[in-house]
């Protein structure tokens, strides 16, 4: 099976290197990994960092010429996704790539969506993953 990971990005120069490194090295069990980064019109320096990271980590980089919003970035990423499942990873690491195996273990083509969330005592950081 193949997992497409879409990372919508807007002005995340402080976190984007760490995010892409963690996604690239994440455990996706036996799923082949496809990483799609959609730069949604960044202008804080992120747009200069992404091509360097692309060379290092070999992901698909798509750019919006202006900020269209996270939803538009996800829709753009979906146009290029070729995986059996799609995961949306926030560029600010609100969601932790170390949690991927927990969700991938319950994947089943009969379910159109799988949501993951942190336990009540860990709610300082919200957790939501969506697989299509």
């Amino acid at each position: 099976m193949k997992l497409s990971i879409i990372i919508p990005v807007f002005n995340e120069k402080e976190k984007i290197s760490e995010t892409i490194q963690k996604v690239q090295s994440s455990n996706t069990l036996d799923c082949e990994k496809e990483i799609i980064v959609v730069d949604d019109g960044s202008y804080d320096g992120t747009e200069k960092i992404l091509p360097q990271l692309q060379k290092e980590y070999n992901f698909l980089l798509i750019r919006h010429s202006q900020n269209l919003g996270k939803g538009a970035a996800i829709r753009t990423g979906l146009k290029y996704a070729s995986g059996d499942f799609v995961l949306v990873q926030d560029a600010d690491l609100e969601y932790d790539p170390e949690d991927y195996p927990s969700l991938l273990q319950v994947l089943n083509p009969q379910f159109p969506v799988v949501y993951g969330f942190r336990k009540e005592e860990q709610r300082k950081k919200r957790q939501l993953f969506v697989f299509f």
Side-chain angles (χ1 to χ4, degrees):
M1 282 199 180
K2 186 175 184 179
L3 174 66
S4 296
I5 302 171
I6 299 173
I7 307 174
V9 179
F10 177 67
N11 289 344
E12 290 290 348
K13 72 177 181 179
E14 301 301 323
K15 283 279 191 183
I16 194 61
S17 295
E18 179 184 5
T19 299
I20 291 175
Q21 184 278 322
K22 285 186 173 190
V23 170
Q24 181 66 36
S25 65
S26 65
N27 179 359
T28 54
L29 304 180
D30 292 329
C31 289
E32 177 187 349
K33 191 184 315 177
E34 169 185 61
I35 300 172
I36 303 166
V37 177
V38 182
D39 179 9
D40 192 30
S42 294
Y43 55 82
D44 71 338
T46 303
E47 72 284 4
K48 295 174 184 168
I49 297 168
L50 285 171
Q52 298 164 8
L53 292 170
Q54 182 185 31
K55 288 177 187 174
E56 184 176 349
Y57 293 105
N58 192 30
F59 55 83
L60 177 61
L61 175 59
I62 304 158
R63 296 180 180 267
H64 288 170
S65 59
Q66 64 184 28
N67 182 256
L68 301 173
K70 182 178 178 179
I74 293 169
R75 286 189 297 277
T76 296
L78 287 171
K79 290 178 186 175
Y80 293 88
S82 63
D84 300 293
F85 297 97
V86 176
L87 184 147
V88 177
Q89 169 68 54
D90 278 3
D92 63 1
L93 286 174
E94 180 177 356
Y95 312 135
D96 189 344
E98 290 182 14
D99 292 330
Y100 293 176
S102 298
L103 291 168
L104 294 171
Q105 289 174 357
V106 298
L107 281 180
N108 183 327
Q110 296 174 357
F111 300 115
V113 177
V114 175
Y115 294 95
F117 58 92
R118 294 197 180 269
K119 295 177 182 171
E120 187 66 31
E121 62 270 12
Q122 295 175 325
R123 292 195 67 177
K124 288 182 184 177
K125 192 173 176 186
R126 290 189 323 247
Q127 186 73 30
L128 172 67
F129 294 88
V130 182
F131 293 88
F132 300 97

